[in-house]
Amino acid sequence: ERCRGLEGRVGELESMVELLKRTSGSGGNGGVGENGGEGMISLENGMMNINDLIPLKKASGATGSSSSSLASTQGGERILWTKSSSLVVGAGMVGHSFIELGSVQIESYETVTLRWKFDLTREEEDIYFSILKGICEDKRKQRSADACFRSRHVKGGGGGDVSGAFAVQNACTLVWSNEMSWFRPKTIKWTVEAVAIEWSD
């Protein structure tokens, strides 16, 4: 998944370079590499490296079955990475997934928010959902952990944003409790995003 995403970004960069070649060449201000080193674009204001056009941000390895680690910017917020997976929580059981922030670049004026969404296989099904700060491998740690929220009753599916999810160990734990069901397992498809949002005083 990450390789395919990088291949797509390389294609975008190649298209942009071609566009800039045509734009700078048509104005008589020189082309690529004419007044500078390889990979430099001549502009009216000076030289610019094509590698500075679209910075790539690195994210940690995926804990889910798929992930995208290329940062994208939309209206004052940057999506650092997206991870998604699915799991089955047996009757009377608790399921969890660990989400690590990983190696991402956060500016001094940004704060990181966790954006979450999940759906149950059947709309009439319900489950209790928690987001805990840090890695909580067992029930003892899950009971004592600081929580963004705990035991939220969700029917069919839900979503939202939480801040402070990565305050402990740069990680958090998603917990789905199916303990109230004696017979029926629950299948969950989930997606989370780490979003860097600009903040002001």
Side-chain angles (χ1 to χ4, degrees), residues 70-183:
L70 297 175
S72 60
T73 305
Q74 293 178 351
E77 64 179 38
R78 292 188 300 122
I79 299 175
L80 303 173
W81 47 250
T82 301
K83 301 178 183 181
S84 60
S85 188
S86 61
L87 77 160
V88 177
V89 183
M93 305 292 288
V94 175
H96 60 258
S97 291
F98 306 130
I99 308 297
E100 294 181 305
L101 182 58
S103 301
V104 294
Q105 181 178 341
I106 308 300
E107 305 297 341
S108 59
Y109 52 83
E110 292 177 323
T111 183
V112 178
T113 293
L114 180 72
R115 183 166 293 157
W116 59 273
K117 181 182 184 300
F118 73 86
D119 293 300
L120 295 160
T121 304
R122 298 183 181 89
E123 290 186 6
E124 68 273 12
E125 291 180 337
D126 61 350
I127 203 160
Y128 287 91
F129 179 57
S130 306
I131 298 181
L132 311 179
K133 299 178 182 180
I135 300 293
C136 306
E137 301 99 337
D138 52 45
K139 285 188 176 182
R140 181 182 62 82
K141 288 185 178 180
Q142 290 174 8
R143 282 194 298 267
S144 61
D146 190 11
C148 296
F149 59 82
R150 192 181 293 272
S151 299
R152 180 176 294 180
H153 184 232
V154 179
K155 183 175 181 180
D161 293 2
V162 291
S163 58
F166 300 107
V168 179
Q169 300 175 298
N170 278 338
C172 64
T173 303
L174 312 182
V175 181
W176 292 271
S177 173
N178 195 29
E179 292 174 299
M180 74 290 190
S181 176
W182 287 66
F183 304 106

